[in-house]
Amino acid sequence: MANNSDHPAEDAFCETLDVVFQEVSEGSAIAKMTVTEEHLNFGGVLHGGAAFSLADAAAGAAMQSVLDEDISTALEANISFLSAVDPGQDIVAKADVTHKSRKTGEVTVTLETGDGESVGSYRARAYRITSSQRE
């Protein structure tokens, strides 16, 4: 773990993808990415990996917001794509922690265009790593 920052705006991978966090609050996060040529697949639309990364970043920020000094790592994640996103469009990931226990959590994310059109959904389960486990 090269980046020990607990603030998502300081995530180097998110910076690479131009992911901007609009909001992170208790149990939720909203992140946005404007689709550029660098985000496209060979078909000229948003690459699934870029959409997954945006959703995963929002999910991670939402989960982190409920963990105090602990961190989490994904146990599993899946995404469903509903429609293509073209260059120049904004894609917004809205993440909510839907379950949290002592060791695990679940986050759901909706993916929408800037106009509010639903383009995907994402769900992940996370495992809590306590600060004492990291020492």
Side-chain angles (χ1 to χ4, degrees):
M1 289 186 287
N3 183 359
N4 291 326
S5 172
D6 56 4
H7 193 278
E10 298 173 8
D11 184 286
F13 186 66
C14 288
E15 287 179 24
T16 299
L17 294 175
D18 295 323
V19 171
V20 176
F21 285 87
Q22 297 180 310
E23 176 185 323
V24 178
S25 58
E26 184 76 14
S28 67
I30 300 173
K32 180 184 90 160
M33 179 175 70
T34 300
V35 179
T36 66
E37 296 293 320
E38 290 80 17
H39 298 119
L40 302 183
N41 64 17
F42 57 85
V45 297
L46 178 64
H47 193 288
F52 186 96
S53 293
L54 172 64
D56 194 58
M63 182 56 73
Q64 191 60 44
S65 75
V66 299
L67 294 181
D68 302 318
E69 73 281 352
D70 296 341
I71 61 171
S72 67
T73 187
L75 289 170
E76 65 177 340
N78 63 63
I79 192 165
S80 296
F81 301 108
L82 304 175
S83 65
V85 181
D86 295 318
Q89 288 187 288
D90 289 337
I91 184 168
V92 179
K94 297 178 180 179
D96 290 296
V97 175
T98 54
H99 172 77
K100 184 183 98 170
S101 70
R102 192 172 54 83
K103 287 290 183 186
T104 64
E106 180 183 76
V107 183
T108 59
V109 181
T110 59
L111 293 170
E112 303 173 349
T113 64
D115 297 333
E117 176 192 353
S118 183
V119 294
S121 62
Y122 168 102
R123 180 190 157 279
R125 287 186 335 112
Y127 179 76
R128 183 180 202 152
I129 301 171
T130 65
S131 56
S132 63
Q133 287 173 307
R134 291 183 289 163
E135 294 175 356

